[in-house]
Amino acid sequence: MRILYVVDTHIHADHISAGRALAEATGAEYVMFEGAEAGFPFRRAKDGEVLELGNVTATVMHTPGHTPEHLSLLVTDRTRSPEPWFVLTGHTLMVGDLG
């Protein structure tokens, strides 16, 4: 299996990301929301942009709140259904809480 994208949902001092190192090691694109203010290169994903992953798609959703550039990914597996299957919210929605 080939890794195509490494996505960080946000930049924030509450975590250390190995995303850039993983992207470099695998040749994947390092992705963050277009509004992220970072001093390093990354693919600037726009709200509504679709990341293609074979039979699966991940639609970028700008979900500011925890941080201004936060994004979530709406995942659709076309082998299951044309409707979205789940959403990856990073640090926006948590069990019993919001970021």
Side-chain angles (χ1 to χ4, degrees), residues 60-95:
V60 174
M61 298 182 344
H62 184 213
T63 52
H66 183 59
T67 62
E69 79 286 351
H70 195 284
L71 65 80
S72 296
L73 297 170
L74 185 64
V75 179
T76 302
D77 180 347
R78 294 181 288 227
T79 64
R80 298 173 63 93
S81 169
E83 297 299 317
W85 185 21
F86 61 90
V87 63
L88 299 169
T89 64
H91 200 175
T92 295
L93 295 176
M94 295 158 279
V95 175

Side-chain angles (χ1 to χ4, degrees), residues 18-58:
R20 288 190 302 155
L22 178 59
E24 185 177 319
T26 62
E29 289 188 76
Y30 182 58
V31 180
M32 291 192 300
F33 184 68
E34 66 180 341
E37 295 181 17
F40 47 83
F42 62 94
R43 177 176 171 169
R44 295 181 176 275
K46 299 180 183 310
D47 186 56
E49 182 175 343
V50 177
L51 303 175
E52 295 284 341
L53 301 157
N55 289 323
V56 175
T57 62

